[in-house]
Amino acid sequence: MADNARAKKLADLIREVVAQKLQRGVKDPRLGTHVTITDTRVTGDLREATVFYTVYGDDEDRASAAAGLESAKGVLRSAVGAAAGTKFTPTLTFVADALPENAQTIEDLLDRARASDAQVREASSGAKYAGEADPYRKPGADEDDEDAAAE
């Protein structure tokens, strides 16, 4: 089993090689310039690599990019093998990254929180305190209250 530093180095190399090969070496129109390699992870034995990618576009573009990556897997693995110079070239598995969907979900939640804050701010704009504006006792005010109660 390889150490984590070696697996991380190999993962970084795979990410760079696959991105460059997709940009310059693969002539598949389904892959175009709208595929972005976001992350790469390699198993501890350096036998398998998972490549995460995002696609700019709709569901149809994502499906065609997934098919294009699957068909270009052999060419990409050969390029990784030539660049890595390891005894065994890891098998590549392409996984669509859920980062854009997660970011959109977080953005929707933040928008909902902003709208809720605006409603609370609007509802409290003309409100008055139920008691005094400052309900807490001050150190000097206690003496004044005791003097007034004694009289």
Side-chain angles (χ1 to χ4, degrees), residues 56-104:
Y56 182 73
D58 56 0
D59 290 335
E60 184 179 321
D61 291 335
R62 289 185 191 108
S64 66
L69 285 170
E70 196 62 35
S71 70
K73 189 183 285 191
V75 173
L76 295 172
R77 185 172 181 221
S78 297
V80 167
T86 57
K87 182 176 182 180
F88 182 81
T89 303
T91 58
L92 301 178
T93 305
F94 292 97
V95 177
D97 199 356
L99 185 68
E101 290 83 13
N102 291 344
Q104 185 60 43

Side-chain angles (χ1 to χ4, degrees), residues 137-146:
R137 293 183 180 183
K138 306 283 190 279
D142 290 341
E143 296 166 0
D144 294 338
D145 290 342
E146 289 175 5

Side-chain angles (χ1 to χ4, degrees), residues 25-48:
V26 178
K27 303 289 188 234
D28 194 341
R30 297 176 290 187
L31 297 176
T33 58
H34 56 275
V35 176
T36 303
I37 305 300
T38 56
D39 192 19
T40 307
R41 295 190 184 138
V42 178
T43 58
D45 61 356
L46 306 178
R47 295 280 179 150
E48 297 176 17

